[in-house]
Amino acid sequence: MNKISIGCVGLGGRGMGLLRDCLLPRGDVIIAGLCDMYEDRCDAAKQMVKQAGHPGPAVTDDYRKLLDMPGLDALMVTSAWESHIEIACAAMRAGKYVAVEVGGAYSIDDCWRLVRTHEETGAQCMLLENCCYGRNELMIQNMARQGVFGEIVHCQGGYHHNLRKQIAYGLENRHYRYRNYLSRNCENYPTHELGPIAQLLMINRGNRMLMLNSIASKASGMRAFIRGEREEGGGNGGSAGGSAGDLNFAQGDVVTTIIKCAGGETIALTLDTTLPRAYSRGYQVHGTKGMFMEDNMSIFIDKKDNEYDFEWHKRWGNVEEYRQQYEHPVWQEYLRGDIKGGHEGIDWLVISDFIDAVKASAAVPINVYDMAAWMSISCLSEDSIAMGGAPVPIPDFTNGKWIGGYA
Amino acid sequence: MNKISIGCVGLGGRGMGLLRDCLLPRGDVIIAGLCDMYEDRCDAAKQMVKQAGHPGPAVTDDYRKLLDMPGLDALMVTSAWESHIEIACAAMRAGKYVAVEVGGAYSIDDCWRLVRTHEETGAQCMLLENCCYGRNELMIQNMARQGVFGEIVHCQGGYHHNLRKQIAYGLENRHYRYRNYLSRNCENYPTHELGPIAQLLMINRGNRMLMLNSIASKASGMRAFIRGEREEGGGNGGSAGGSAGDLNFAQGDVVTTIIKCAGGETIALTLDTTLPRAYSRGYQVHGTKGMFMEDNMSIFIDKKDNEYDFEWHKRWGNVEEYRQQYEHPVWQEYLRGDIKGGHEGIDWLVISDFIDAVKASAAVPINVYDMAAWMSISCLSEDSIAMGGAPVPIPDFTNGKWIGGYA
């Protein structure tokens, strides 16, 4: 298969970014169809695609029409969170490869639907978790596989990203985060940090996540932000502070979730998107022989670094010392060319893995079992928070196949 | 009162350190009595005290004999964790001031006993939480009180301290941690991080901790450490790897605890003492206007630092920029002299506050309500872990007095 034919559903910021940075620059992809519920977004995308030399793509506001296109090989889903699983399942039923942008699930039944649709159709569905391709994440995974950290006992991660502006002006920007933050209280975006951790801990490949509990702080960040914008008279195209009327956001500012795994490991996740701060995925790996912490970019190895027990700051930033020996093969190869695509290359890498699978008619590397397990954290954390932090079981979406080592 | 007369119970490492660094150098204290269950410890302490010029202190293996001494003003308790509350209550019943080294509680009833004994006797009991006097902790508290971080929403802290050697050789060292780690699984040492956070969040003074849940990782660190010591043939006076026979430690390596407060704030605590790593108290404060993180020593302020949203490392270490404006008055005054006492001065400061209260017949700054609330986290986390992470209520040891703003 020399060139594959792709349709794109959802042409907001993320969809346009992936089109521009990761699909249109490729020689092995034809953008055959575009879909969005907003006409202006379709127009802008069509213009961009045509300018890149693709023969006029079909345009529709109904993704099912793309699935009816006989020559279409694959669908890329970058629409609102709420629509991901529905569209993914429809694509699998139509026999298409489907790549789905990240987000969390709204019900466990939807996660099962994803798994069952794959099992019934044999079609492949991949979660586009770009952070699984992060340079540091992959190097740390490489070190862990080689035993540098010993037996892994605990991991941490977070989605620490100040999104106040995007949320506050969500009506103006037609962004799904606004309505989600207004209505839900949960770990709404777990996979950026959980994906790499799950791969490190061999979740669904010899290990599984057993249970979690979640507690949310109060929701003060958005109200303070919007009031501040209004006082200052600032704005973002719309009225100062956005047109959000109700400042009673349901979403707690900081949600802490603890997951226990069958192997005895714990995973601590933090959602932290409505307070002022710098971006971080807060990655930490703790094992019997050493640890890694993203937030000061340090690696601490037993018997090597113990003299720094009370002078840790002298080891901050030492991750670079490990780069030459432990750079992951994916990144070794990638760095031989230029960094391409968005988000420092990770978008390019995740999209490339998807396209390679489509071209080879092969299994995707982040499959429906991963997707169901990772996305389920959102609705399970919602349950736990609603029940005052009660422990909630995490389903085994592999039905025991994880024990054999592979799902 | 020019000189106060103090008895010391528990003459292991901590007791001897406080004697040497914080009591004997003072001119306003007479060490009148010494107590330990081991004769050699009593002998060593007596010799040190006599060399410092104090008239021969009474020595006993029964702390009640110290309490019978008519001229004794105060008791300092640095014995094993399990004995703290019993001895503190006996001291209050004897009408003495009592200062108690930190540790966690073993039952909620014991916490109530502490509170009720104070209420019945009117005697003062202070928890010697030296970390409440940390230079950074106090500066951050000062900044928070002045509104720099806006409304506080979430705090984090941890006791990250590689104690594997102390625990492994616990039989040789006669250290209580060994038996505790062998038998219990809980947040066994919460107060170093929780104390400063509780003060920041005005716990018992307008706020209170409502509930928690705790999840523990597997216990792999001690087994790996002891096996490593034995393989290497290393030792610490005793046999290689210590004489610990049973390597099935109950204590999980990493315990994560989430606390929810009446004010809507969350507190995430981590116990992390049996894996290789550098020391940290992992302090974090997150508010609607800014944040602080100990593990990269950074302060991030809204509208000032937003250009660093994706270059956070450029702000790491910037805490020093705030020192001149926000140094806490306690540390401003302290730094005019020399740093005295152990642990970079914080031992000196906490002991000084206790002695000042005794001399003035005044209330202690960290009282039985603080002590009960902070220490209760240990046995409550034990309950939660045992029940699979179930949420557990935290008693209101003030019986509503926190609402009025002071207990």
Side-chain angles (χ1 to χ4, degrees), chain A residues 151 153 164 211 213 216-218 220 232 260 263-264 266 276-279 288 295-296 302-303 309 312 316 388-389, chain B residues 151 153 164 211 213 216-218 220 232 260 263-264 266 277-279 288 295-296 302-303 309 312 316 388-389:
Chain A
E151 180 185 347
V153 167
R164 293 175 302 168
M211 57 80 77
N213 47 28
S217 77
K218 60 184 164 188
S220 297
E232 286 180 14
K260 184 86 183 250
T266 44
R277 60 160 301 140
Y279 182 88
T288 54
D295 280 343
N296 54 27
D302 200 22
K303 300 199 166 118
D309 265 6
W312 192 16
W316 295 354
Chain B
E151 181 185 346
V153 167
R164 294 175 302 168
M211 55 81 76
N213 47 29
S217 76
K218 60 184 164 188
S220 296
E232 286 180 15
K260 184 85 182 250
T266 43
R277 61 160 301 141
Y279 182 88
T288 55
D295 280 343
N296 54 28
D302 200 22
K303 300 202 164 108
D309 265 6
W312 192 17
W316 295 354

Side-chain angles (χ1 to χ4, degrees), chain A residues 314-343:
Chain A
K314 292 189 177 171
R315 299 305 282 154
W316 295 354
N318 74 342
V319 164
E320 296 312 318
E321 296 172 16
Y322 293 85
R323 199 69 78 182
Q324 198 176 2
Q325 188 176 357
Y326 293 107
E327 187 89 76
H328 192 280
V330 163
W331 268 87
Q332 285 180 27
E333 189 191 328
Y334 186 50
L335 287 168
R336 283 186 206 113
D338 295 328
I339 294 284
K340 297 173 284 281
H343 290 117

